[in-house]
Amino acid sequence: MSIEPSMRVEDKLFYNRYLVDTGRPHIKVRPHAKPSPQLLSMLKACPARCYELNEGGQVEATVDGCMECGTCRIICEESGDIEWSYPRGGYGVLFKFG
Amino acid sequence: MIEEKFDAIVVGAGMAGNAAALSMAQRGMNVLQLERGEYSGSKNVQGAILYADMLEKLVPDFRDDAPLERHLVEQRFWMLDDRSHTGLHYRSDDFNEDKPNRYTIIRAQFDKWFSQKVREAGATVLCETTVTELARDANGKVIGVRTDRRDGEIRADVVVLAEGVNGMLGTRAGLRERPRPEKVALAVKEMHFLPRETIEARFNLKGDEGVVIEAVGTISRGMTGMGFIYANKECISLGIGCLVADFQRTGETPYGLLDRFKRHPSVTPLIEGSEVKEYSAHLIPEGGFKAIPQLYGNGWVVVGDAAQLNNTIHREGSNLAMTSGRIAAEAILQIKSRSQPMTPQNLVLYKKKLDESFVIKDLRKYKDMPALMHTRSQNFFLTYPQLVSKAMQNFLRVDGTPKIEKEKLTLKSFTRVRSRSGLFGDAFGLMRAWR
């Protein structure tokens, strides 16, 4: 009995349709020297793996594959770590099935 | 600014927004509905189960043309350890009735259909429009919305906030709080496509019969969460959700849990050879009665997920959303028919009507359940499923051990892991929260 081997999340996101609003990310990470625990938890909790650690040890967000679930907003908005708004009308993820 | 002033603006085209817009438009109100997706449904995610009764109240003949997948004849509940499942099934031919009670649906397709009904009723539906903030007058009364379109301010007598669990307008305007991590679950889902015959053979179905499997246990690794498998016509919706606070605490990844669920020996045979066509994620309000915010104010009401109206215990949400949208619309209609203003003194009617409905009665009944499940998640989602699996295997494996000793062993395994008082405490807590 077998199913496909574990996929990387980045590859899973290729199933989805997106209209990326180039140059206008809807989530912005506040510049920081050392990431807060909330921001660090997003490296694991984001279901699209939008959050990654850069070489300098800061958390960066690339939101092209974002599914707009809002998990990072729930965890990180209160502490001011991120600024969250919805993509402009029509942009972002477009579910075929939902 | 768009010159025309509307009777009502509905923000969002999910279950709650469509129900509200439809109810008001059907009764002759001039309604504008705003949706940020390319089409109604393109931003919406749900398991998804549709409850017929609540839709029937809005579209009595929906079965004629709504895109329904399968009507449910069977419900399975699984308790999992890593290698086995202990199941409870209920299947009845009574559910093969002329007007079935529950269906599986695919939200993007269903919402498109629902939105068409809203348009046919005469509402103006404007897609690809993100509402950025509520417009208020000097007294703080909500008088409309601002959008990301040019000349983006639009006015109305009342704004219905059907903006979903992650709605920003209400929180930005200080009308309600942002949900707390312990009050929302994050669910991830995949759509697995297989030939129709394969699905019917694997799930023991014929024609349009459907089945739902809900699973708790070691798949959520001690977090408060649940996996689900819903049979559609030609695909299977498979997903898992856990509280955001638990993800934060444990460092587990949502896709890791999904993968683990798919690899469970009870699940793998159901999806083997399938083609995945979508991966989605969504938050689910889990706070229950105690998390319900202020539901109305000066020129506004809030409905559906945005108002945290979700029954975690029974996995009901879209029906609460539809009902709250419909009830809000009815209250607004009544106020309008008396030519009264949309003030809090008048809009309290929405809350009064909602309190009398199953929506608030059900949520009130389980008001202590979310906290109980959260604080004892290790017991309910890890320890007990493992103990039950062990007990079942011990009971079924014939190996010459006298039954009396088997029973003693089972009892001992329970009291060793959870003391007698612990077991009674959990049972008592559960009973009290259920009552």
Side-chain angles (χ1 to χ4, degrees), chain B residues 220-429:
Chain B
S220 73
R221 318 204 92 169
M223 306 194 280
T224 307
M226 184 177 250
F228 62 89
I229 301 169
Y230 299 165
N232 303 314
K233 275 194 182 119
E234 289 174 334
C235 63
I236 295 165
S237 309
L238 180 147
I240 185 163
C242 292
L243 284 182
V244 168
D246 281 353
F247 279 118
Q248 217 180 335
R249 178 175 56 82
T250 61
E252 294 285 344
T253 63
Y255 35 88
L257 292 188
L258 186 64
D259 207 47
R260 193 180 163 88
F261 186 39
K262 281 159 65 178
R263 281 164 200 290
H264 192 281
S266 297
V267 175
T268 302
L270 295 172
I271 53 166
E272 199 196 5
S274 66
E275 187 193 348
V276 178
K277 292 196 182 173
E278 193 165 84
Y279 169 62
S280 54
H282 195 64
L283 294 178
I284 305 169
E286 299 278 344
F289 183 75
K290 292 180 178 172
I292 299 173
Q294 174 70 28
L295 291 167
Y296 62 94
N298 211 357
W300 62 273
V301 292
V302 59
V303 294
D305 275 8
Q308 295 266 328
L309 302 175
N310 179 48
N311 184 339
T312 301
I313 304 306
H314 289 265
R315 318 310 298 164
E316 291 176 27
S318 63
N319 55 332
L320 277 65
M322 267 192 255
T323 304
S324 64
R326 177 177 59 79
I327 289 177
E330 283 167 5
I332 290 167
L333 279 155
Q334 260 185 50
I335 297 165
K336 188 180 155 56
S337 70
R338 295 196 297 252
S339 302
Q340 289 179 333
M342 298 295 165
T343 56
Q345 293 75 19
N346 292 325
L347 285 168
V348 67
L349 184 62
Y350 161 49
K351 183 174 185 297
K352 278 186 189 153
K353 284 171 175 277
L354 202 64
D355 282 345
E356 287 161 15
S357 74
F358 80 95
V359 174
I360 298 297
K361 282 182 182 164
D362 285 358
L363 292 177
R364 195 192 303 270
K365 169 169 161 42
Y366 297 118
K367 64 184 190 311
D368 296 323
M369 203 60 112
L372 179 77
M373 286 293 149
H374 187 205
T375 51
R376 303 195 197 182
S377 65
Q378 290 278 333
N379 303 346
F380 290 120
F381 295 92
L382 197 63
T383 310
Y384 291 137
Q386 283 173 322
L387 287 170
V388 168
S389 292
K390 262 196 210 130
M392 285 306 292
Q393 185 159 141
N394 186 33
F395 179 75
L396 294 170
R397 198 181 278 284
V398 177
D399 56 6
T401 312
K403 303 299 180 214
I404 187 101
E405 280 177 35
K406 280 189 178 260
E407 279 170 25
K408 271 185 195 157
L409 266 168
T410 295
L411 187 66
K412 212 190 263 172
S413 73
F414 270 76
T415 48
R416 193 173 55 232
V417 182
R418 289 285 293 149
S419 67
R420 266 167 209 273
S421 64
L423 286 171
F424 280 120
D426 287 344
F428 188 65

Side-chain angles (χ1 to χ4, degrees), chain A residues 1-2 4 6 9 12 16-17 47 49 68-69 73 77 86-87 89-91 93 95-98, chain B residues 36 38-39 42-44 106-108 130 148 166 168 171 178 189-190 255 259 263 272 278-279 283:
Chain A
M1 207 63 76
S2 69
E4 90 271 14
S6 293
V9 183
K12 264 183 208 274
N16 299 344
R17 212 180 124 220
R49 273 196 56 163
E68 297 164 33
C69 68
R73 177 183 170 228
E77 197 183 52
Y86 276 115
Y91 287 94
V93 70
F95 291 115
K96 294 187 296 280
F97 306 106
Chain B
R36 62 190 187 86
E38 184 183 41
Y39 55 87
S42 61
K43 296 289 185 182
N44 302 345
I106 292 173
R107 274 297 297 272
T130 301
D148 60 353
N166 190 35
M168 321 215 46
T171 50
R178 185 186 319 108
K189 183 181 77 162
E190 286 178 355
Y255 35 88
D259 207 47
R263 281 164 200 290
E272 199 196 5
E278 193 165 84
Y279 169 62
L283 294 178

Side-chain angles (χ1 to χ4, degrees), chain B residues 185-214:
Chain B
L186 165 64
V188 286
K189 183 181 77 162
E190 286 178 355
M191 297 297 270
H192 286 255
F193 281 74
L194 282 163
R196 202 184 158 125
E197 315 79 68
T198 310
I199 290 178
E200 283 158 22
R202 286 182 188 178
F203 287 90
N204 189 23
L205 305 167
K206 59 178 195 302
D208 286 344
E209 288 176 344
V211 55
V212 164
I213 303 172
E214 279 166 346

Side-chain angles (χ1 to χ4, degrees), chain B residues 85-97:
Chain B
H85 77 262
T86 306
L88 177 75
H89 285 204
Y90 181 75
R91 184 181 176 110
S92 174
D93 199 37
D94 290 346
F95 289 129
N96 279 316
E97 55 210 323

